[in-house]
Structure formats: C-alpha cells, structure tokens
Amino acid sequence: NAPVNTPISIQPLDAEGRAVQLMRSWTVGMPGEYVSCIGCHENPSVTARPLQIVQRAPDTIKPPEGRDKPRTWSFLREIQPILQRRCSGCHDKDPCEEVAKCPKDKQDVFVFTMDAYPLFTRGDKPNLADFRPMEIQIKNFKDDHVGCYSKSYFYLTSPLVQMLKAGHHGVELTDTEWRRLYTWIDLNAPFWGTWTDQVEYFRMRGDRGWAGSGRSHEEQQKLLEYSHARRQYGERNFQGFWDPKNDPELDRYTYRDAERDIPKIAFEPPKKPAVKRVSAKPVQSVKPSKLRVELDAPGGRIAFRRTAPGVWMAEGELPLANWLAYEPEHRNGFIDWVGKDHYAPGTSAERHDLPVIRVSFDEAKAYAAWLSEQTGAKVRLPTEAEWEHAARAGVSGDYAWGGNMADFAKVANLSDASVENLPNQFKVFNYHLRFMGANDGEMTLGSAVKHRYGANAVGLFDMIGNVEEWCVGPSGEAVARGGAFNVLPRMATFDRRNTYFPWQRVFNVGVRLVLEPSVESAKTSCGSDCE
C-alpha cells in the first residue's frame, strides 16, 4: 500500500541498505488503483494474462528507522550532522589560502567563477565543517548560477564510501549513519530538502529572482504563497495530494535551522587508530627481460611475465578483442559525459585494443575457464597477494612513482588535467576529482595493446591506472585492485582495493589473467632462459 499521487522510486537494497539497482523513473498511483509493471516491460500491443502472484495482503511502506513518518531529505539535516560528528575535527579548513580569500558578495555568500576552480584541486583535505551557503557563478553567463550549496557539500564530491570502507584514519560510522549516507547517495546526493527551501533562499537574496530575473521580493513571496495554495486546492478537490498538515513542502530545514542545530553536535575523535592493511611481501631479484611467454588465445596472443614461482602474470590488461572471441555480443559501451544537451552518450570504449570493461567477477572467472579449455593451459584470475607482489615488483612505499605526485603521468593513466578536455557542461563538474598538476594526455581508457606507459620492474604494464582489475580476495570475494583512469593519483596506492558483488559489471574494472604454464604448452619468446 502506497500513498496516492506520490512519486514512488523503486530501489532493491542489499543487507546494508545500499541500492543494488536504480529505477531511473518513478511510478504514481491514483486513489484505488492497482499499479504493476505491465505496460512498460511487455509488448504494448499484447494483453498480459492475469496471474495471482500475491497470496496475502500488501505491505505498507514504512518510514526510515527511528521515524514515525517520512520526511524530506536535506543535506543540512541528514548529512551535515554526520560530517560534524565524524569529520569536522580534521576537515575544518580550506585546502589552500586562495579559496579562503575568494571574494564574497555583500551578503557574505561565496561567489566563484570558472577561474577559481583550479583552487579546489590543490591539497587533499577538503573543508567539511563549513556549512555556510556558497553560490557558484559561471563566468560569461549572465545570471547563470549552478545552484547554491554549502561549502561542505561543494567539497564532498569524492569516492566517499570506497574511501571510508578502505579505512580513513580510524573513522567509523554507525549503522544508522551508513544508511543515511547510502540513502543520500542513492537519491542522487540532493542538497535542498524542498523546493520551498531553495526558493526561500533565492528570495531572500535581494539581488536575484528565483522565478525570473527582475522580480521584487514581494512578487516572489506572492508566487511562493500561490504555489502552496495550488497544492492545497488539489488536496481538497482531487483527493490524494498530500495532507495539508503533513505537506512535505512544509517540512523545511533552512540555514537558520542548521546554524541552530549543527554547532550543538560535538566532534567525536576516532576511538580506534587508523589501521593500514599489511601489504604483500615484494618480489625480489627477478629478471623480467627474459622470463616471458606468449599464449595463443582466441582474439590475439597474450604475453605473460614470471612474477613469482609458478605464477605468470599477463603483461597487460585483457583487450576487448580477446573478450569478443568469447562473447561476441559484449559491449564496452561509453564513458559518460557530465552535463546535458550532448550530441552523443559519451566517449566510446568500443575500440578493440582497449581493455574490456563492464564484465563481472563471475564472468571474468568463466572466461578464464573457457580460455583454459581452448588453449590447454591453466588460466585464472590472480589472488590479491599475487597481484600486489606483481604490482610492487620490489618497490616499497605506497606509490609506483615514488614520492613526487606529478610523476604518476609517466607511469599510470589516472585522473589528471586531461579530464578538462571531456565534453562537459561549462567544465564545472568534478572540480576536485582530477589532479591539475600533470597531464598524461588520456581522457579515459588507454590501449591495452600499445602501451603508453612504461613497464614496472617485472615487465608489466598498467598495474596501476587505466582500469582496475578483478582479483580473488582471501575469502574468494570479488575485489578490484589497482586504480583506474578516473581515480586521483593520491588514491592510487598499491594496496587500494574495492569490493563488489560478484555479478556487478563495473565501468572501470577489467581483467588481468594469471597463467600457470607448462612452458612446453606455450609458445615462448625466451628460449632456454624460461623456468
């Protein structure tokens, strides 16, 4: 049973409350109506036969845990308190002085032009404690503003869940906090809880009108009151609009409310020290120039390098051409562009020399089993320990390029200044999800055949960057290792790991194989030096 005339979004959740699939539209039921999926997922010219599926009374939608009724989802009400409690003690300053010095208008609201965006790419410690309003102004576009959000919201764009799950200075969230964070993300990270909140904010800004340039404060107030009156008219005359006493548009949470409530929340330092995962022992004294074999595989030969006794790791990531020999209907698809009104769905990833992506962990294992049957050699996915041994290749520390962060451009395809070249509405999105201090020339995926970056000490390419790679975790779980083209270099450490459901097809995860060869069964290029 669902409330009538109310948009309902359907999201299957996992045990932790995370959406595993999103319905990108919503459904709305009229009073007394039975709503089903019939009509969208069948031939529209065919009548579906009646089926008695449910043998009991329907459930009633329940409000979130700890609430007696649903309420609007405001960043200031739901997420900022979490930041205040878990993050504000460390993330309480702007990452660079230039941001703090950006001009403010007469009402103490930060106004940024496009020239200021590089400032947000400096440093890695965003200010999550400052929830004052900040308005984003687009240079050369009169009265064109990309919303108004708090500073903390503006800074929060990051692979937040992955970072916290990997361990972030001992920070731990409660189950309720995790579920609030997941819900916020699954709702597409809203800031305003109601349209009225946003309207009220712009209405209070005397220099700008929300419903068209030039309207006075009084005119905007009348429009706002008219909007509420129309909603109540619908309730009285058409049944099933919201109860006027419980109208979600009246469930507001303003900046004034946040200024009253949030300072009362004390920062709680992590109870446990940060725990860094112990890295695998590096490989020592390997001669990569000779320990090499090639396997004749459908779609193209795959070269392997010996990285440990009995373990030969593929030199590069599996190309799409090899996967198409196994599954001709597979499509890598596109890497999407951010914004609207584009002439294409994104940048194509369909070139056959690019690494295969959007294949699940289970599918990758099935491919390895199929390739083993086709070639007579034993091929499989690497374990995490094998992968990290090969990636490090005798290097200690966190990064393949040492301590100078800009040097990654010679070693790995990661997120850098080349992201600026992607078609992007006004180039204002993902402002601090790229490293502006280097440019490797790759906007998205790079070739898995013609290697642009140098090999590591054991002769392997793209162990860090380009795409992450499926590995088998200690308990057999699906783990992606290595960082990808859209990962910041500071996050592309040797021990970076992301866990997924084994059936998930991830847009930046590909495949690297391990060969357990009988050298006689493989065509070699190292002669008598092979072991």
Side-chain angles (χ1 to χ4, degrees):
N1 284 321
V4 299
N5 290 322
T6 302
I8 303 294
S9 175
I10 300 172
Q11 299 180 4
L13 306 180
D14 67 8
E16 297 182 44
R18 301 174 295 187
V20 296
Q21 183 71 33
L22 298 180
M23 182 175 178
R24 294 297 183 182
S25 59
W26 60 79
T27 186
V28 178
M30 297 294 103
E33 181 182 13
Y34 285 82
V35 180
S36 74
C37 298
I38 302 298
C40 293
H41 297 276
E42 284 76 28
N43 187 326
S45 64
V46 176
T47 301
R49 64 178 182 177
L51 294 174
Q52 186 65 32
I53 299 174
V54 180
Q55 301 294 332
R56 59 178 176 78
D59 293 327
T60 297
I61 296 178
K62 299 178 181 178
E65 182 180 356
R67 301 178 187 174
D68 57 355
K69 64 179 181 179
R71 76 182 189 194
T72 57
W73 209 265
S74 161
F75 176 88
L76 290 173
R77 179 160 56 183
E78 308 294 347
I79 305 302
Q80 188 63 47
I82 299 175
L83 303 181
Q84 181 74 6
R85 187 177 299 110
R86 305 299 176 191
C87 312
S88 62
C90 299
H91 292 271
D92 59 347
K93 295 180 176 62
D94 291 309
C96 60
E97 293 183 1
E98 290 91 333
V99 171
K101 294 177 181 177
C102 278
K104 306 175 185 179
D105 69 5
K106 61 185 179 182
Q107 293 170 310
D108 201 36
V109 176
F110 285 84
V111 179
F112 290 86
T113 65
M114 287 180 65
D115 294 337
Y117 282 102
L119 303 179
F120 288 89
T121 66
R122 302 178 192 172
D124 58 1
K125 200 173 181 181
N127 188 345
L128 302 179
D130 189 347
F131 56 91
R132 289 179 296 169
M134 182 182 70
E135 194 163 335
I136 311 169
Q137 182 177 358
I138 308 303
K139 187 176 180 181
N140 299 327
F141 288 84
K142 184 179 180 181
D143 291 329
D144 196 347
H145 295 69
V146 183
C148 175
Y149 316 104
S150 72
K151 228 178 187 185
S152 53
Y153 179 93
F154 190 62
Y155 273 120
L156 194 58
T157 303
S158 66
L160 185 61
V161 171
Q162 293 181 355
M163 181 175 65
L164 290 174
K165 287 292 187 181
H168 183 67
H169 302 288
V171 173
E172 292 186 355
L173 272 60
T174 66
D175 181 67
T176 298
E177 289 172 334
W178 273 120
R179 287 178 179 270
R180 289 193 180 186
L181 187 61
Y182 293 147
T183 302
W184 176 67
I185 293 172
D186 293 338
L187 291 174
N188 206 20
F191 180 78
W192 300 101
T194 71
W195 173 246
T196 304
D197 284 330
Q198 184 175 17
V199 169
E200 277 285 289
Y201 173 78
F202 281 106
R203 184 178 66 80
M204 295 305 293
R205 296 286 314 281
D207 61 342
R208 189 167 298 108
W210 66 271
S213 178
R215 284 190 169 89
S216 68
H217 177 101
E218 291 75 17
E219 289 172 326
Q220 294 177 63
Q221 179 64 29
K222 289 180 180 178
L223 285 171
L224 186 59
E225 293 172 354
Y226 175 75
S227 173
H228 286 294
R230 292 295 296 174
R231 293 167 65 84
Q232 294 184 13
Y233 173 81
E235 166 64 27
R236 289 192 304 269
N237 293 276
F238 300 105
Q239 302 178 40
F241 281 96
W242 294 274
D243 178 356
K245 295 180 181 179
N246 294 309
D247 187 343
E249 278 297 319
L250 301 179
D251 181 22
R252 303 181 53 209
Y253 196 79
T254 67
Y255 273 113
R256 292 190 183 92
D257 296 322
E259 290 171 350
R260 177 197 65 210
D261 297 337
I262 293 174
K264 299 177 184 178
I265 302 173
F267 170 68
E268 299 179 10
K271 296 179 181 179
K272 298 180 180 179
V275 177
K276 187 173 179 60
R277 196 174 66 83
V278 178
S279 299
K281 184 178 179 182
V283 175
Q284 301 292 337
S285 303
V286 177
K287 298 179 181 180
S289 60
K290 294 184 178 181
L291 302 180
R292 183 178 189 272
V293 298
E294 288 185 351
L295 184 68
D296 280 322
R301 289 181 178 177
I302 303 174
F304 295 83
R305 297 275 185 173
R306 181 180 181 274
T307 58
V311 178
W312 295 66
M313 190 79 67
E315 274 189 349
E317 294 151 344
L318 186 71
L320 175 60
N322 290 73
W323 190 275
L324 291 176
Y326 165 66
E327 187 183 359
E329 300 302 316
H330 176 76
R331 294 293 178 266
N332 266 2
F334 294 82
I335 305 301
D336 66 330
W337 296 340
V338 180
K340 63 176 185 177
D341 301 333
H342 292 305
Y343 60 85
T347 298
S348 174
E350 289 293 323
R351 252 181 33 220
H352 287 193
D353 67 317
L354 295 177
V356 64
I357 55 174
R358 294 189 170 101
V359 297
S360 71
F361 176 75
D362 284 344
E363 289 170 331
K365 289 197 299 182
Y367 170 82
W370 173 82
L371 186 60
S372 298
E373 293 178 358
Q374 296 293 312
T375 61
K378 185 176 180 181
V379 181
R380 58 176 174 81
L381 297 183
T383 66
E384 283 198 83
E386 290 168 343
W387 185 95
E388 191 165 330
H389 275 300
R392 285 185 175 276
V395 175
S396 59
D398 290 329
Y399 300 106
W401 50 87
N404 187 346
M405 197 58 68
D407 285 348
F408 83 87
K410 305 172 185 176
V411 177
N413 177 18
L414 297 166
S415 184
D416 57 25
S418 60
V419 175
E420 287 284 321
N421 299 323
L422 281 170
N424 186 326
Q425 188 184 22
F426 306 133
K427 295 184 182 293
V428 300
F429 296 94
N430 295 339
Y431 33 83
H432 63 271
L433 291 184
R434 54 183 180 262
F435 183 85
M436 298 300 290
N439 191 339
D440 63 7
E442 291 284 5
M443 291 187 295
T444 56
L445 303 178
S447 175
V449 178
K450 298 178 181 179
H451 303 291
R452 179 180 186 135
Y453 307 89
N456 69 4
V458 291
L460 306 182
F461 299 91
D462 296 320
M463 290 296 288
I464 302 295
N466 210 30
V467 295
E468 298 191 347
E469 299 161 9
W470 286 123
C471 295
V472 180
S475 301
E477 68 271 28
V479 180
R481 299 293 299 264
F485 64 90
N486 64 327
V487 173
L488 280 167
R490 65 180 172 82
M491 300 184 69
T493 55
F494 283 122
D495 60 1
R496 173 186 172 86
R497 71 192 300 267
N498 290 317
T499 58
Y500 295 99
F501 291 109
W503 45 262
Q504 282 183 286
R505 296 170 176 168
V506 188
F507 79 102
N508 66 349
V509 179
V511 179
R512 187 183 297 267
L513 298 171
V514 163
L515 176 67
E516 297 179 359
S518 164
V519 174
E520 294 77 11
S521 68
K523 181 176 181 180
T524 71
S525 60
C526 58
S528 59
D529 292 313
C530 285
E531 298 183 4

